[in-house]
Amino acid sequence: MDAKRILQFLKEITVNNNRQWFQEHKDEYEGDRWLSKSVAMLRTAKPMMDFMNSVIDDYE
């Protein structure tokens, strides 16, 4: 999984949120199953981030 490539794609789609742009970059989206890998990573990270935020909130 190439995190830089994923972040770049997400930045670009934020600016170019339209069907034509997406169709032109669809191979990037589908390549290497990066989306499913990214979603799995975020699912793993979210509970950890929630826990860290609760600990920080307790100390504020």
Side-chain angles (χ1 to χ4, degrees):
M1 174 174 50
D2 184 353
K4 287 183 181 181
R5 192 178 109 210
I6 292 167
L7 292 175
Q8 184 62 39
F9 181 87
L10 293 175
K11 286 177 187 176
E12 289 178 14
I13 200 168
T14 299
V15 175
N16 302 290
N17 193 10
N18 63 68
R19 182 170 176 76
Q20 179 182 348
W21 184 90
F22 182 78
Q23 290 299 321
E24 292 169 2
H25 295 84
K26 192 172 182 178
D27 290 342
E28 294 173 48
Y29 172 79
E30 294 176 342
D32 296 330
R33 299 175 40 101
W34 71 267
L35 182 59
S36 61
K37 292 176 183 179
S38 299
V39 169
M41 178 186 70
L42 292 172
R43 283 188 181 144
T44 302
K46 181 159 180 4
M48 187 174 11
M49 291 169 51
D50 290 344
F51 171 74
M52 292 169 59
N53 284 332
S54 70
V55 170
I56 291 168
D57 289 344
D58 289 344
Y59 286 102
E60 290 185 335

